[in-house]
Amino acid sequence: MKKTKKQLAIAMASCLMVGALAFGGTMAYLTDTEGATNTFTVGKVQIDLEEPGYPGNTDDSVKNLVPNQEIEKDPQVENTGVNDAIVFMTVEVPRGNVTAVATDGTKGTKQNQDLFWFKDTADAQGTFANKWDADWIELTAKETHEDTDTTSKYIFAYKTKLAKDAKTAPLFDKIQLKNVIEGEIAAGEAKNIVVNAYAIQAAEVLEGESTDLTDTLTDETLGKIYDVYFKQNGDAAANTVQKDAATNNAKDLSGTDR
């Protein structure tokens, strides 16, 4: 009986030691873990060139023009994308070696010149000058107006960043065929005015490691941003756009949803 009690005591002591070892085994480094998934989406720059007042190329009012005739034409740009955009517009105008005539019939000097005036809606018919909207900056350093050209190319940048769903002011409101000597422009000859619009993101267009050109939209920085656009997308001199405003993007030329 004494032997049995002794054996029991040894067995109990062994259990206590095992329990102590088991408890001691949990005393390792304290650890924890946690994670986060950050979801980002890529933005979208998209614009629509609209001329809500223009009657259309098939309308009788744009056929068989006479000198001094005015036609409503009001190109503007709508941001139909997601991100703010910086917007440019170019206007390519037909030129000819013609003699302009004043309202009283006085002949001017025959010279290579634009065949159209670009005017504000408030300009009288006898106002013979281009009138561009004040919200657009003319980038004259990028333009071409050589006497040997068959066209003049005017280039503009919108003064402010264009927010989502916002529209620019129209660059001009109407055009007017110049009063030139009869026969100097062939009857029935089609003359095209080509308007193109371009857009680039309105943030983080970088000139250097720490220079964001979009921070200050001056003539100089807008000119640089214009160059950045065409370095990425092709030759600016070609003035070629892949999308026709009458058939592409979210809205048609009149500004109607597709």
Side-chain angles (χ1 to χ4, degrees), residues 59-231:
D59 193 85
D60 288 342
S61 65
V62 304
K63 301 175 181 178
N64 303 314
L65 297 187
V66 298
N68 289 329
Q69 183 175 348
E70 294 180 332
I71 300 293
E72 187 174 1
K73 184 175 173 68
D74 49 353
Q76 59 195 45
V77 178
E78 181 176 359
N79 185 348
T80 53
V82 176
N83 297 83
D84 291 355
I86 293 173
V87 175
F88 302 94
M89 193 183 295
T90 63
V91 183
E92 191 174 335
V93 190
R95 292 171 69 88
N97 190 30
V98 295
T99 306
V101 180
T103 53
D104 63 358
T106 302
K107 295 180 181 180
T109 302
K110 188 174 184 178
Q111 59 183 328
N112 193 285
Q113 59 186 295
D114 294 352
L115 300 182
F116 291 88
W117 295 116
F118 297 85
K119 306 171 72 174
D120 182 79
T121 189
D123 289 340
Q125 195 168 9
T127 303
F128 301 133
N130 287 334
K131 180 72 172 295
W132 313 108
D133 189 271
D135 287 335
W136 291 87
I137 297 175
E138 187 174 358
L139 302 180
T140 54
K142 307 294 179 184
E143 300 175 348
T144 55
H145 307 281
E146 299 298 329
D147 287 344
T148 55
D149 284 355
T150 57
T151 60
S152 287
K153 182 179 177 183
Y154 297 88
I155 300 174
F156 300 87
Y158 205 56
K159 285 184 175 181
T160 57
K161 300 173 184 179
L162 194 63
K164 179 180 180 294
D165 298 325
K167 294 183 180 182
T168 67
L171 178 59
F172 51 88
D173 297 312
K174 57 185 178 181
I175 60 172
Q176 182 179 27
L177 179 63
K178 287 187 177 181
N179 186 17
V180 300
I181 294 293
E182 187 176 358
E184 291 185 341
I185 301 176
E189 183 180 354
K191 297 295 183 181
N192 295 323
I193 296 174
V194 181
V195 179
N196 289 327
Y198 310 92
I200 191 170
Q201 66 190 53
E204 311 305 336
V205 178
L206 305 178
E207 181 182 30
E209 292 183 359
S210 60
T211 307
D212 184 350
L213 291 173
T214 62
D215 286 343
T216 306
L217 299 184
T218 62
D219 296 39
E220 181 181 4
T221 57
L222 285 167
K224 290 180 179 179
I225 295 169
Y226 180 82
D227 290 338
V228 168
Y229 176 94
F230 283 102
K231 285 178 182 177

Side-chain angles (χ1 to χ4, degrees), residues 8-22:
L8 181 60
I10 292 172
M12 289 178 65
S14 298
C15 289
L16 289 173
M17 288 179 66
V18 170
L21 289 171

Side-chain angles (χ1 to χ4, degrees), residues 32-52:
D32 188 17
T33 184
E34 187 174 71
T37 299
N38 301 117
T39 303
F40 301 91
T41 59
V42 177
K44 182 179 182 180
V45 172
Q46 177 177 283
I47 55 171
D48 277 275
L49 175 63
E50 301 166 8
E51 293 180 334

